Amino acid sequence: MSKPSIGFCGLGAMGMGMATHLVKQGYSVTGFDVYQPSLDRFKAAGGTPSTSLAESAKDKPFYIVMVASAMQAQPALFDKDGIVNALPKGATLLLCSTVPSAYAKSVEKDLGEAGRGDIFFIDAPVSGGAGRAADGTLSIMAGASDAAMEKGKWLLEEMSASSKLFIVAGGVGAGSNMKMVHQVLAAIQILSLSEAYGFAARLGLNGKEVYNKVIESTGWSWMFENRSQRTLKEDYFPGASAVTIILKDTGIITSMSRSVGFPATLCAIAEQVYFSALDRGWGANDDAGLVRLWSSEPVTSIQNSLPAEDKEAKLQLVVDLLTGIHLVSAAESISLAKHVGIPLPQLYELACDAAGGSAMFRDAGEKMITILEGKDNDSGRILGEYVKKLRTAVDEAQAIKCPLYLGTGALNLLLQTGSDSSLASLLKYYSVR
Amino acid sequence: MSKPSIGFCGLGAMGMGMATHLVKQGYSVTGFDVYQPSLDRFKAAGGTPSTSLAESAKDKPFYIVMVASAMQAQPALFDKDGIVNALPKGATLLLCSTVPSAYAKSVEKDLGEAGRGDIFFIDAPVSGGAGRAADGTLSIMAGASDAAMEKGKWLLEEMSASSKLFIVAGGVGAGSNMKMVHQVLAAIQILSLSEAYGFAARLGLNGKEVYNKVIESTGWSWMFENRSQRTLKEDYFPGASAVTIILKDTGIITSMSRSVGFPATLCAIAEQVYFSALDRGWGANDDAGLVRLWSSEPVTSIQNSLPAEDKEAKLQLVVDLLTGIHLVSAAESISLAKHVGIPLPQLYELACDAAGGSAMFRDAGEKMITILEGKDNDSGRILGEYVKKLRTAVDEAQAIKCPLYLGTGALNLLLQTGSDSSLASLLKYYSVR
């Protein structure tokens, strides 16, 4: 039996990887993009390029949309010459873009109103970066009706690693909500690594020393390890992931949070700093370049002749800064998941090994979940040491007049737990009713 | 009987006003400064200039120190050729600089250890700006032993307005603590006015329209009215109050708060933005110039042709932003006062009519105090409208990608009160144990 043909819209960094992976697996893929060089690259990789949305969708039993935003997806899908009008009866449509869950739901509704209730629609945002997209080993968070999932699951499996396909209960919208709560971690951790490298630079530490120390420590995050490859080479122009991309995801989190009354405190702090980077004209630069808010010098060019003991003490401050921020980011993510009804163990399984992963999420996240699910009478009185260490880092930053947007924000959330110093008290801040 | 002679150290913007006011009142004042033009000005105003600390203190029964910081005060007081060694027996020493209360206490201790327990020492920081300093109508917050207060009260009265001398119970350190909790309001409100003008500029509003609207609204603050005189003229170089001055006061608040476990959340947000202004080389510029973080254009040059209704709606967003921030700043200030044991009604009386004053502090502060003092069973379920309005302002700012550091910080503190939406819930955040 021949493999079904697939239509694809959006050959950006992620989309190109996903589409060419499907070509490599032997599918006939017709790819649409507005940018001719991307079409040329796709053709060179064996795909069928198309400059017409309708043509890319005609006679395709399966279609994948991987554009940058809901604002791009809506006309691509629903314009007269768009995808939906051209899809054959009973086609399966995957929306893999990161969009607000309310938008994913609106697509389902608009399909019905357009008389295309026959289309099987799956809300399926992805995570993992361009490399895993090209390898077909993405993490995918999918929500859909049982019928649609039955139709499209094989295609989700083609693009994801075997243990990285998460079917989220709740239908269309649930996938996007899962992606959103995962992106809470990403939104905070992308800024935290620049804040950490910037603080380190001002302490006189070389970026490579910082890297070697952090990746073996409680301050580790997937984002730190990933972005460091660009930070250490100043590979920001354009790099691999623009500030505008994480800003878009952050905006989905904060606007959704505001609308449901959830205090996405660290995400909001990060968002204001991302806005300030836009003001500097850095929107199209890689987000790893945010370190330039702290240091105009490349972090790898910073030299010091600190005695080993002093250097170690300063490196530890950087680790403690990241550790404290990531601890609170775990609480913010897991609490928002609870607030919007995402299954917490599934988020834990997903995020431990995706772009939002961090040593602190892995180590403290499980305990947070047992507390939030009421399965544990131990309130987790473990914050004392973290508070003390983060406070010391903030003291040092203040002494050298170094801004720590997230570090001070995280510290205040930890301080408001008082002498109780428990995970339960931290989670209580986020447990609005 | 002839008036006693007075020594004075520190002829900056505030000190010059205070010292020349005393000259006008008929006192013989010997003023020390390291900056010759200030000495020249002081001489022209009838004072006796001195380039020697010891000479400025010799035979002076009363001495006033008004330098910029504890770091400047310590050597001026205790160096071999400094003030303390030169003062006559039984002299009265007033420290009017804004310093950590721990520093004021250390001066008392150091006097004893230097064998100068005979000196009557008063911890007496001031507020009100250079204009009121020159008029002798400052607000003064004084703490001292009864004996010292008896000696020096007349001099405090000479420099303050009749109802603006606040003798704070608790001895040396209490004056500085009162000043600190007052400065919580100043630290937040100085940034809030630039954030408001900057947001307004990006909404297309002219600065003069903003001024006229805000001063008649719930968004009014003393700082807004005062700084607007410079904002509207771009009078920042050097203007009247450098970024480094409010940054120093903010640092006293946040470091003291960290050390006692208090989450000075909005102050910490403001401090990071002040650090970022230092990074831009704006430390010596007037703090009103912080609006340049949002708009490189003068706010008075912004033109619009908005229909009256649209303009009014946008102006209201600016008012709502300030109102929300000032509401939370009142809670932060009053809660810190409770935390460090400052009498709350005295803070209220002081701050309503000093540089920290705001419409929201005046309107909501009294209720907050009755709740914190447990004199009121009504939890003040009044936050709903404020949350709604501030949320709308933040929504609009997000849409135009305008950073609102304090606006988003205040909103999250309001959101965490949940559907309860009460002042009690807001105060609970700050009521760490």
Side-chain angles (χ1 to χ4, degrees):
Chain A
M1 204 177 89
S2 72
K3 293 191 167 187
S5 60
I6 300 171
F8 203 102
C9 172
L11 300 168
M14 294 290 291
M16 183 69 82
M18 293 159 70
T20 54
H21 167 73
L22 292 170
V23 169
K24 274 186 220 145
Q25 298 307 304
Y27 296 96
S28 161
V29 183
T30 304
F32 170 89
D33 203 277
V34 293
Y35 186 59
Q36 187 62 45
S38 293
L39 291 174
D40 296 343
R41 273 185 60 204
F42 186 58
K43 187 176 180 186
T48 306
S50 171
T51 56
S52 154
L53 279 170
E55 186 195 303
S56 74
K58 195 180 167 203
D59 302 329
K60 307 299 183 305
F62 294 90
Y63 200 98
I64 298 169
V65 174
M66 189 58 200
V67 295
S69 64
M71 213 181 295
Q72 289 181 9
Q74 185 65 9
L77 287 168
F78 292 104
D79 273 5
K80 190 164 167 293
D81 301 326
I83 295 160
V84 168
N85 267 340
L87 282 177
K89 195 163 160 56
T92 302
L93 174 66
L94 278 58
L95 177 59
C96 293
S97 306
T98 297
V99 297
S101 64
Y103 177 71
K105 286 180 187 166
S106 83
V107 169
E108 189 171 46
K109 187 161 156 277
D110 289 355
L111 285 169
E113 288 177 3
R116 293 307 307 266
D118 60 293
I119 292 176
F120 296 95
F121 177 60
I122 302 179
D123 162 38
V126 306
S127 177
R132 281 171 55 188
D135 293 342
T137 58
L138 285 167
S139 299
I140 304 186
M141 297 135 269
S145 65
D146 291 348
M149 197 58 79
E150 196 172 317
K151 281 273 193 179
K153 194 174 173 191
W154 68 270
L155 183 50
L156 298 168
E157 285 168 346
E158 280 287 13
M159 298 189 287
S160 59
S162 59
S163 61
K164 297 281 178 297
L165 173 58
F166 296 86
I167 313 277
V168 189
V172 165
S176 287
N177 266 340
M178 177 65 95
K179 173 79 195 244
M180 176 180 73
V181 301
H182 173 270
Q183 289 307 88
V184 168
L185 301 164
I188 298 165
Q189 283 152 207
I190 281 175
L191 181 60
S192 75
L193 70 99
S194 277
E195 186 165 303
Y197 273 116
F199 177 41
R202 294 198 182 187
L203 289 169
L205 298 169
N206 184 282
K208 280 180 191 150
E209 295 169 347
V210 174
Y211 178 78
N212 292 332
K213 175 75 182 181
V214 169
I215 58 164
E216 301 292 335
S217 78
T218 54
W220 175 85
S221 68
W222 187 96
M223 283 294 177
F224 181 90
E225 187 165 346
N226 178 272
R227 296 318 201 246
S228 287
Q229 306 315 313
R230 271 111 70 189
T231 308
L232 297 177
K233 288 183 209 150
E234 295 213 297
D235 176 15
Y236 311 143
F237 316 104
S241 193
V243 170
T244 48
I245 295 177
I246 189 58
L247 180 54
K248 178 188 66 89
D249 290 8
T250 310
I252 290 172
I253 298 161
T254 59
S255 64
M256 163 70 151
S257 293
R258 282 197 304 276
S259 73
V260 299
F262 180 83
T265 303
L266 292 192
C267 282
I269 289 174
E271 187 179 27
Q272 311 318 305
V273 179
Y274 295 146
F275 284 148
S276 78
L278 282 198
D279 287 345
R280 290 176 185 241
W282 298 354
N285 303 160
D286 196 277
D287 58 44
L290 290 163
V291 69
R292 292 173 294 159
L293 289 168
W294 285 267
S295 175
S296 53
E297 224 181 318
V299 297
T300 51
S301 72
I302 291 165
Q303 302 299 327
N304 66 60
S305 52
L306 294 167
E309 202 177 322
D310 291 4
K311 188 189 288 187
E312 187 54 33
K314 285 174 194 275
L315 285 167
Q316 191 58 45
L317 292 175
V318 179
V319 168
D320 294 341
L321 170 66
L322 285 166
T323 303
I325 295 169
H326 297 169
L327 174 64
V328 181
S329 76
E332 192 159 310
S333 165
I334 292 169
S335 298
L336 179 58
K338 172 122 198 271
H339 199 91
V340 299
I342 289 292
L344 304 187
Q346 197 178 29
L347 166 64
Y348 184 77
E349 191 190 345
L350 162 71
C352 273
D353 201 22
S358 73
M360 290 314 294
F361 183 88
R362 194 187 57 220
D363 293 353
E366 232 166 352
K367 179 82 184 170
M368 290 179 187
I369 290 170
T370 59
I371 291 171
L372 282 177
E373 293 189 332
K375 291 181 180 163
D376 196 337
N377 285 324
D378 173 8
S379 68
R381 294 188 60 160
I382 61 164
L383 299 182
E385 269 307 295
Y386 296 109
V387 174
K388 193 175 145 198
K389 288 177 169 182
L390 181 54
R391 176 151 51 192
T392 303
V394 170
D395 283 343
E396 288 296 317
Q398 184 177 44
I400 60 174
K401 303 188 192 306
C402 173
L404 294 184
Y405 304 98
L406 291 172
T408 52
L411 178 59
N412 280 323
L413 289 175
L414 292 171
L415 288 179
Q416 60 87 36
T417 68
S419 58
D420 182 46
S421 282
S422 71
L423 285 176
S425 294
L426 177 59
L427 294 164
K428 204 166 177 204
Y429 169 84
Y430 291 109
S431 299
V432 288
R433 272 175 218 152
Chain B
M1 204 177 89
S2 72
K3 294 193 168 187
S5 61
I6 301 171
F8 203 103
C9 172
L11 300 168
M14 293 291 291
M16 183 68 83
M18 293 159 71
T20 54
H21 168 72
L22 293 170
V23 169
K24 275 186 217 145
Q25 298 306 305
Y27 296 95
S28 160
V29 184
T30 304
F32 170 90
D33 202 278
V34 293
Y35 186 58
Q36 187 61 45
S38 294
L39 292 173
D40 296 343
R41 271 185 63 204
F42 185 57
K43 187 177 180 185
T48 305
S50 172
T51 57
S52 155
L53 278 170
E55 186 194 302
S56 74
K58 196 181 166 202
D59 301 330
K60 307 299 183 303
F62 294 90
Y63 200 97
I64 298 168
V65 174
M66 190 58 199
V67 294
S69 65
M71 213 182 294
Q72 289 182 9
Q74 185 65 8
L77 287 168
F78 292 104
D79 273 5
K80 192 166 167 292
D81 300 326
I83 295 159
V84 168
N85 267 341
L87 282 176
K89 194 165 160 56
T92 303
L93 173 66
L94 278 58
L95 177 59
C96 293
S97 307
T98 297
V99 297
S101 64
Y103 177 71
K105 286 181 186 164
S106 83
V107 170
E108 189 170 47
K109 186 160 156 281
D110 289 355
L111 284 170
E113 286 177 5
R116 292 309 306 265
D118 60 294
I119 291 176
F120 295 95
F121 177 60
I122 303 180
D123 162 38
V126 307
S127 177
R132 282 171 56 188
D135 294 341
T137 58
L138 286 167
S139 299
I140 304 186
M141 297 135 268
S145 65
D146 292 347
M149 198 56 81
E150 197 172 317
K151 280 274 194 178
K153 194 174 174 192
W154 69 271
L155 183 50
L156 298 168
E157 285 168 345
E158 281 286 13
M159 298 188 288
S160 59
S162 57
S163 61
K164 297 282 179 295
L165 173 59
F166 296 87
I167 313 276
V168 189
V172 164
S176 287
N177 266 340
M178 178 65 95
K179 173 79 196 243
M180 176 180 72
V181 300
H182 174 270
Q183 289 307 90
V184 168
L185 301 165
I188 298 165
Q189 282 153 207
I190 281 175
L191 182 59
S192 75
L193 70 99
S194 276
E195 186 165 304
Y197 273 116
F199 177 42
R202 294 198 181 185
L203 289 169
L205 298 169
N206 184 282
K208 279 181 192 150
E209 295 168 347
V210 174
Y211 177 78
N212 291 332
K213 174 76 182 180
V214 170
I215 57 164
E216 300 292 335
S217 79
T218 54
W220 175 85
S221 69
W222 186 96
M223 283 294 177
F224 182 90
E225 187 165 344
N226 177 272
R227 297 315 202 251
S228 287
Q229 307 315 313
R230 273 114 67 190
T231 308
L232 297 178
K233 287 183 209 148
E234 295 213 297
D235 177 14
Y236 311 143
F237 315 104
S241 194
V243 170
T244 49
I245 295 177
I246 190 57
L247 180 54
K248 178 189 65 92
D249 290 8
T250 310
I252 290 172
I253 298 161
T254 58
S255 65
M256 163 69 151
S257 293
R258 282 197 304 277
S259 74
V260 299
F262 180 84
T265 303
L266 292 191
C267 282
I269 290 174
E271 187 178 26
Q272 311 318 305
V273 179
Y274 295 146
F275 284 146
S276 78
L278 282 197
D279 287 346
R280 289 174 185 242
W282 297 355
N285 303 161
D286 195 278
D287 58 44
L290 290 163
V291 69
R292 292 173 294 158
L293 289 169
W294 285 267
S295 175
S296 53
E297 223 183 317
V299 297
T300 50
S301 72
I302 292 165
Q303 303 299 328
N304 66 60
S305 51
L306 295 167
E309 203 178 322
D310 291 4
K311 189 190 288 187
E312 186 55 31
K314 285 174 194 279
L315 285 167
Q316 190 59 45
L317 292 174
V318 179
V319 167
D320 294 341
L321 170 66
L322 286 166
T323 303
I325 294 170
H326 297 169
L327 174 64
V328 180
S329 76
E332 192 159 310
S333 165
I334 292 169
S335 298
L336 179 57
K338 173 120 199 272
H339 198 91
V340 298
I342 289 292
L344 304 188
Q346 197 177 28
L347 167 64
Y348 183 76
E349 191 189 345
L350 162 71
C352 274
D353 200 24
S358 73
M360 290 313 295
F361 183 88
R362 193 186 56 220
D363 294 353
E366 232 166 352
K367 179 81 185 168
M368 291 180 187
I369 290 170
T370 60
I371 291 171
L372 281 178
E373 292 189 331
K375 291 180 179 162
D376 196 336
N377 286 325
D378 174 8
S379 67
R381 294 187 59 160
I382 60 165
L383 299 183
E385 270 306 295
Y386 296 110
V387 175
K388 192 175 147 197
K389 288 177 168 181
L390 181 55
R391 176 151 51 190
T392 304
V394 170
D395 283 343
E396 288 296 317
Q398 185 177 45
I400 60 174
K401 303 189 193 306
C402 173
L404 295 184
Y405 304 98
L406 291 172
T408 51
L411 178 59
N412 280 323
L413 290 176
L414 292 172
L415 287 178
Q416 60 87 35
T417 67
S419 58
D420 182 46
S421 282
S422 71
L423 285 177
S425 293
L426 177 59
L427 294 164
K428 203 165 176 204
Y429 170 82
Y430 290 111
S431 300
V432 287
R433 273 174 218 155

